Amino acid sequence: MREDIRIKKIAFNLKTCEKFIEIEVPGDEILQSVAAESPDFEKQVKQKVIDYIRAL
């Protein structure tokens, strides 16, 4: 089941002049699609989050 993305915070780093958006996505759905023992687990999770956002 797909859930909506929630924006938790929008921030701006004055030292580096970078903008940040803190979001909340359904972690269970994303984590179930990635093998926990995968050597590039973090990279795969990040890509799944990006794919999830693009699909909405």
Side-chain angles (χ1 to χ4, degrees):
M1 184 170 142
R2 293 205 164 243
E3 297 178 27
D4 290 334
I5 296 172
R6 288 188 186 164
I7 297 176
K8 295 176 79 175
K9 176 173 59 171
I10 298 174
F12 185 76
N13 186 329
L14 294 174
K15 290 182 181 179
T16 60
C17 294
E18 294 179 325
K19 298 175 188 174
F20 296 94
I21 300 174
E22 186 175 323
I23 61 171
E24 185 176 301
V25 295
D28 291 339
E29 183 178 328
I30 292 168
L31 291 175
Q32 289 174 359
S33 65
V34 178
E37 53 279 335
S38 175
D40 56 342
F41 175 79
E42 187 176 330
K43 182 179 178 181
Q44 288 181 3
V45 169
K46 287 178 183 179
Q47 186 60 49
K48 292 285 183 179
V49 170
I50 291 168
D51 295 343
Y52 183 86
I53 291 169
R54 286 183 178 158
L56 293 178

